[in-house]
């Protein structure tokens, strides 16, 4: 899209293998929080992933797949990442942690309101039930909720225009600022968890707003078809995110409240629109 030749699609995996082979350098002033955070972040992401249906709504942990619990399981990892950024006492780490918490204050309510629009229509906050009862985008309220949720995904995954994961400049980084002191296996775990979180948020987007094709049983044929549909939906979402990143520039940090606040208004309007349309 930018007219340049990028790295191969397997480059992130090569980077993870390289980091797992390297030794770790830990600051002398770091406490147990710095060492425990990579494992807590990875565990929280894995726990959240187990609650989300992928190709079928018949999942072992589907009964506890509540969206509110899911959001705050992810928030647990963010909380410890912010603590780890502050733990070593570096200026960049503290700056990244402060910015991350500022963004989180704006993103979490927006994400919950976007999901509540679909949850109210499904009569449940369980993701599997939402995916089972929803159809394609069929109302203005769902379109508004989708627009707000896309902005929330960009902010949660640290992508342009909210953050730029490819730079370590002081004026641009948020997520990377909290990881500057990590190296070796610790950095590999943090980066791997970030990749999983991005895939998880893409899957939630597909489950809630594009649930067509998800299997309602565990029959082999249905699972095979659902797997193919899931891959197509992930490719579509990934290309859409790449299009957004390629056509937008990184915003100044003090401009982010305008973007995230506007998305919050869209999420609120989606909920109000659904309630008003349902009351007629």
């Amino acid at each position: 899209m930018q007219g340049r030749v990028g790295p191969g699609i397997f480059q992130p995996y090569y980077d993870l293998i390289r980091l797992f082979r390297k030794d770790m350098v830990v600051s002398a002033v770091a406490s147990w929080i710095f060492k425990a955070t990579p494992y807590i972040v990875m565990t929280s992401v894995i726990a959240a992933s187990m609650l989300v249906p992928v190709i079928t709504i018949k999942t072992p942990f589907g009964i506890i797949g509540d969206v509110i619990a899911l959001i705050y399981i992810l928030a647990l990892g963010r909380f410890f990442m912010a603590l780890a950024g502050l733990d070593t006492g570096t200026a960049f780490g503290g700056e990244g942690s402060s910015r991350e918490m500022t963004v989180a204050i704006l993103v979490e309510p927006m994400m919950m309101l976007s999901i509540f629009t679909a949850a109210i229509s499904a009569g449940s906050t369980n993701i599997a039930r939402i995916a089972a009862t929803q159809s394609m985008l069929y109302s203005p309220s769902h379109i508004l909720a989708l627009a707000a949720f896309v902005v929330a995904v960009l902010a949660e995954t640290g992508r342009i225009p909210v953050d730029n994961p490819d730079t370590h400049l002081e004026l641009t980084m948020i997520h990377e600022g909290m990881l500057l002191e990590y190296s070796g296996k610790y950095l590999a775990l943090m980066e791997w968890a970030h990749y999983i979180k991005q895939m998880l948020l893409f899957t939630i987007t597909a489950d809630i707003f594009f649930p067509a094709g998800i299997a309602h049983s565990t029959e082999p044929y249905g699972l095979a078809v659902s797997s193919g549909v899931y891959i197509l939906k992930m490719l579509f979402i990934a290309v859409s995110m790449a299009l957004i990143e390629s056509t937008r520039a990184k915003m100044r940090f003090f401009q982010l409240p305008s973007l995230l606040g506007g998305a919050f208004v869209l999420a609120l309007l989606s909920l109000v629109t659904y309630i008003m349309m349902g009351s007629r």
Side-chain angles (χ1 to χ4, degrees), residues 85-86 90-102 169-174 177-178 253:
L86 296 169
T90 61
F92 278 1
E95 184 181 45
S97 298
S98 175
R99 292 178 174 182
E100 179 72 14
M101 289 297 100
T102 303
L169 298 178
E170 177 183 357
L171 297 178
T172 59
M173 63 182 178
I174 300 176
M178 298 181 290
F253 180 74

Side-chain angles (χ1 to χ4, degrees), residues 2-72:
Q2 297 178 353
R4 298 182 296 174
V5 178
I9 60 174
F10 296 107
Q11 187 60 46
Y13 297 100
Y14 298 148
D15 293 339
L16 290 178
I17 294 173
R18 174 176 54 84
L19 289 173
F20 274 118
R21 292 176 177 175
K22 286 190 172 183
D23 293 331
M24 295 176 292
V25 179
V26 181
S27 173
V29 299
S31 68
W32 64 270
I33 293 178
F34 183 85
K35 300 176 181 179
T37 294
Y39 301 102
I40 294 175
V41 172
M42 177 60 78
T43 302
S44 66
V45 171
I46 292 175
S49 301
M50 296 173 70
L51 305 180
V52 178
V54 179
I55 60 175
T56 176
I57 61 174
K58 302 294 184 180
T59 58
F61 302 96
I63 192 173
I64 58 175
D66 189 88
V67 291
I68 301 176
L70 178 70
I71 290 174
Y72 284 101

Side-chain angles (χ1 to χ4, degrees), residues 159-177:
R159 313 302 303 186
I160 296 173
V162 178
D163 191 12
N164 187 354
D166 298 326
T167 182
H168 290 85
L169 298 178
E170 177 183 357
L171 297 178
T172 59
M173 63 182 178
I174 300 176
H175 178 266
E176 296 297 320

